[in-house]
Amino acid sequence: MLQTAVVAVRDRARLQEIVGVLLRFGLADLVDTLGLARFAPRGSQPHPEHPLDASRPERLRMALEHLGPSFVKLGQIMATRSDLLAPEWTAALQQLHSHAAPLPWETAQPLIEQSLGLPVEQVFTHFDPVPLASASMAQVYRARLPAAEDRADRDDREGREEGSGSDSPPAARAADIEVVVKVQRPGLRPQIEADLRLLEHLALLAQEQWPQLARYRPREVTRQLGQALREELDFTVEAHNGDAVARHFAAQPEIVVPAIHWALSGPRLLVQDFVPGVPASAVGADPALDGPLLARRGACAFLQMVLRDGLFHADPHPGNLLALPGNRVGFIDFGMVGRLSPQRRRQVLGLMRALVEGQGRSLSGVLLDWAAESEMPGRAPPSAARIEAAVDRFVTRHGPGASNGRLVMSRALQDFMALARETGVALPADMALLLKALITADQVLLQLDPQFDVVQTATPLVKAQLLQRYSLRSLARQRRAAMAQWMDLADDAPHTLRLVMQRLRSGRLQADLDIRHIDRLSQALERAATRLALAVVSGAFILGLAPGLLTMGPRLWGIPLFAALGVAGAAASLVVLFTTMRRQKALD
């Protein structure tokens, strides 16, 4: 707890605020578990607008919303961890909203102009001061930019029009580009950095002092949180993400990703094209939009992001996945994306293959790999037999020919994450993010087409990826990579062997071994050595006193009492030694 006090010196005010909010929402048990009760401000009471008869998950959700963007993002990350949390907790955390009172225009305008380096009216032909959306981290506005001309040309044209006295509207107005302008709220970084310091410390404290909390991997979650928040504080990261996805779909006009206006964007300001789409729930009201076609296109696009590109939209909720005229699909807001390595894509392919073809063996191998990645000291690894049996049940329930008929992807993935939780397999953070994104996307696609068949859409993509993986070109590339690694190893081997031999000759070879439970072995040996030392000292002491004690003291039936006690103690010691040896032999 001393470390907690040291950390609290720097961020005491924020720590007291956090503890006060948790207490107001009836989460005193969480405060006590984390050892933060002494930081509680006086008079902390339940929030009057939220009675304590709400469930604990709901009260936690409301407290996180009240604490601001750092804790909202923490809750959103935990909402993806159905492999760790029970359904009632993830369901509550999925309802988190990053809302905040809108900034007045008098506050937002200087922030925008500071990033632009120019007054708003010199850059935009129109700027709506009423925000389109307002969240705890940023605020979004609608505006218009002049098309295909720089500001100097526009100023020259306007000067000529004023001099001519013409009353006709400027011709370029018809070509204005509709954009959205996203501006970051002021003063976010100091508070977020303070929150991250506190959360990282609490995660370390929880993992070291409360083993029952270790399975929730608090340090891994806080690392993921810190990376996500620091990326969201820099809007250029979001812009690069959007640009990368747009390049991947450049040859597919049915998929729309807004273009970034780099000349006007920066770390705290993002200007991008406005996407004139409607959410999935509004598609039925427009007869020109074909829901089933939109669902197929959206599913193909998302699966291509995952299986082909390894860069996917990690938050495809209805506001970020839009239907556009011409039955095009629009993806917006790339503040949260996921990245998959080639190995992860192969593992995802194994999961998709289990759903599409009923191949459960590869899925069992994937889960065993994840179990090895998530293995923790002091905890037994998940049973391979238990994992294989659970996968067989999963494939029977959701694979081809399942008794429940058409596969619903979101339901199957929720069952898969429950399977991971029940078998004790903690999913890697990137996979947990992907599965949550797939569940969200599937729920949006079902709004477009309630009869959407994900197997029919996914089968060609899965087969194409399998063919590509085992194609002659791919195998040749893998062979060249393996040969290059072997060549590097061959080049390094003589030098490494020479170094080892030199150290062997000089007696300077050191070995650093990491043996499971070595700390327990060390403690056991220390206890045994202590007992042995006490036994030796006691034995020497007794041997020194024995000759005198045998002739001293009272007698019992003619036998000196101390001698009788010594014989009884020796007999008892022999019995204990014999019993211990028999027990150890039975254990061996």
Side-chain angles (χ1 to χ4, degrees):
M1 297 304 176
L2 176 61
Q3 190 179 2
T4 303
V6 172
V7 171
V9 169
R10 182 174 183 181
D11 304 306
R12 186 179 184 86
R14 180 58 174 164
L15 183 58
Q16 286 184 326
E17 181 184 358
I18 292 168
V19 173
V21 169
L22 293 176
L23 292 175
R24 286 164 57 193
F25 284 90
L27 298 169
D29 54 343
L30 179 59
V31 172
D32 291 337
T33 300
L34 295 175
L36 301 177
R38 65 184 181 278
F39 297 104
R42 293 183 180 180
S44 299
Q45 297 296 328
H47 199 291
E49 298 178 5
H50 303 291
L52 293 182
D53 56 2
S55 66
R56 292 184 72 243
E58 284 296 320
R59 282 185 274 129
L60 177 62
R61 176 188 63 79
M62 293 184 286
L64 294 177
E65 287 180 347
H66 197 82
L67 286 170
S70 304
F71 290 86
V72 169
K73 181 62 65 178
L74 173 63
Q76 290 172 343
I77 290 174
M78 293 307 300
T80 69
R81 302 311 302 260
S82 298
D83 57 316
L84 300 178
L85 299 178
E88 61 270 20
W89 288 94
T90 55
L93 295 175
Q94 285 169 12
Q95 305 304 315
L96 276 165
H97 297 291
S98 178
H99 55 73
L103 284 174
W105 176 241
E106 293 75 16
T107 304
Q109 183 178 5
L111 298 174
I112 296 171
E113 293 180 344
Q114 181 181 4
S115 294
L116 292 172
L118 288 169
V120 167
E121 57 271 12
Q122 289 188 22
V123 178
F124 302 94
T125 58
H126 173 74
F127 199 106
D128 187 352
V130 179
L132 186 65
S134 181
S136 58
M137 222 164 177
Q139 199 152 285
V140 179
Y141 294 89
R142 288 280 300 274
R144 287 198 296 266
L145 281 172
E149 55 184 17
D150 60 26
R151 288 190 294 269
D153 291 341
R154 177 178 158 224
D155 291 341
D156 291 342
R157 188 195 70 239
E158 289 178 350
R160 290 194 300 271
E161 289 171 351
E162 290 174 2
S164 66
S166 172
D167 294 331
S168 60
R173 280 293 170 86
D176 282 352
I177 301 173
E178 295 281 345
V179 296
V180 292
V181 180
K182 182 177 180 180
V183 59
Q184 191 176 114
R185 286 177 172 268
L188 282 178
R189 187 172 290 274
Q191 178 181 320
I192 287 177
E193 291 295 342
D195 289 345
L196 289 176
R197 283 193 297 271
L198 292 170
L199 288 169
E200 287 167 3
H201 168 66
L202 292 177
L204 176 63
L205 200 66
Q207 196 150 314
E208 288 181 348
Q209 298 194 16
W210 294 285
Q212 68 273 20
L213 299 180
R215 71 174 301 270
Y216 298 104
R217 304 193 171 275
R219 298 186 70 182
E220 177 185 323
V221 171
T222 52
R223 281 195 296 268
Q224 186 182 358
L225 171 67
Q227 179 181 354
L229 283 172
R230 291 181 177 108
E231 286 185 355
E232 286 198 28
L233 284 172
D234 186 353
F235 287 171
T236 60
V237 175
E238 177 180 344
H240 283 295
N241 292 337
D243 262 4
V245 174
R247 285 195 300 272
H248 292 156
F249 290 102
Q252 297 173 250
E254 70 274 13
I255 305 301
V256 177
V257 177
I260 306 297
H261 295 268
W262 282 102
L264 304 176
S265 299
R268 296 182 180 86
L269 189 76
L270 180 61
V271 182
Q272 59 186 347
D273 284 353
F274 173 72
V275 178
V278 297
S281 57
V283 167
D286 188 345
L289 294 175
D290 185 340
L293 176 59
L294 287 165
R296 288 196 302 274
R297 287 179 170 177
C300 285
F302 201 84
L303 290 173
Q304 286 174 14
M305 290 185 203
V306 173
L307 298 177
R308 182 191 69 184
D309 306 326
L311 176 67
F312 63 91
H313 197 304
D315 192 21
H317 62 72
N320 291 339
L321 185 56
L322 304 176
L324 280 65
N327 291 311
R328 296 173 298 156
V329 177
F331 289 90
I332 63 172
D333 190 359
F334 291 89
M336 184 186 295
V337 300
R339 292 177 174 83
L340 299 176
S341 66
Q343 178 188 7
R344 284 284 187 259
R345 276 179 269 170
R346 289 193 293 272
Q347 292 172 343
V348 175
L349 198 59
L351 172 58
M352 300 300 297
R353 192 177 183 186
L355 294 174
V356 171
E357 301 179 0
Q359 297 289 337
R361 180 171 298 179
S362 60
L363 184 56
S364 298
V366 168
L367 282 170
L368 289 170
D369 288 343
W370 291 344
E373 288 182 28
S374 61
E375 194 171 334
M376 298 182 65
R379 289 187 61 194
S383 164
R386 185 180 178 189
I387 288 175
E388 290 172 357
V391 167
D392 288 342
R393 291 194 301 271
F394 173 77
V395 172
T396 302
R397 187 181 306 125
H398 297 288
S403 58
N404 56 1
R406 180 174 57 87
L407 172 69
V408 178
M409 176 69 78
S410 54
R411 191 180 305 151
L413 293 179
Q414 287 168 345
D415 281 357
F416 178 72
M417 297 184 83
L419 177 155
R421 185 174 66 250
E422 292 164 4
T423 55
V425 177
L427 302 183
D430 52 355
M431 288 303 304
L433 185 65
L434 169 63
L435 296 183
K436 178 61 174 62
L438 285 170
I439 291 171
T440 303
D442 185 65
Q443 291 169 346
V444 175
L445 297 174
L446 287 174
Q447 293 183 33
L448 294 169
D449 179 13
Q451 301 302 316
F452 175 64
D453 188 347
V454 68
V455 172
Q456 183 179 358
T457 302
T459 298
L461 289 169
V462 171
K463 289 183 176 179
Q465 290 299 314
L466 287 171
L467 287 173
Q468 181 178 348
R469 179 182 176 186
Y470 297 111
S471 66
L472 292 177
R473 179 179 298 178
S474 178
L475 292 175
R477 185 168 58 250
Q478 293 176 27
R479 185 182 63 185
R480 287 195 299 271
M483 288 296 295
Q485 292 177 0
W486 278 106
M487 291 297 293
D488 291 341
L489 183 62
D491 288 341
D492 293 340
H495 174 71
T496 303
L497 184 60
R498 186 181 304 111
L499 182 62
V500 170
M501 294 300 296
Q502 289 175 351
R503 294 196 174 185
L504 278 173
R505 283 196 295 266
S506 61
R508 291 186 296 110
L509 185 65
Q510 298 179 352
D512 185 8
L513 300 179
D514 184 10
I515 304 175
R516 184 185 299 274
H517 306 318
I518 189 66
D519 54 339
R520 297 183 185 178
L521 177 61
S522 174
Q523 293 171 2
L525 290 174
E526 185 177 352
R527 287 195 298 268
T530 302
R531 291 170 183 170
L532 180 61
L534 289 173
V536 170
V537 172
S538 301
F541 186 71
I542 291 171
L543 289 174
L545 293 177
L549 290 175
L550 288 176
T551 59
M552 295 174 59
R555 294 175 175 269
L556 186 64
W557 297 300
I559 302 173
L561 179 60
F562 287 120
L565 291 176
V567 171
S573 299
L574 288 173
V575 170
V576 171
L577 178 62
F578 179 73
T579 305
T580 303
M581 292 174 65
R582 287 285 301 273
R583 186 183 298 115
Q584 185 63 40
K585 185 176 181 180
L587 290 175
D588 294 341

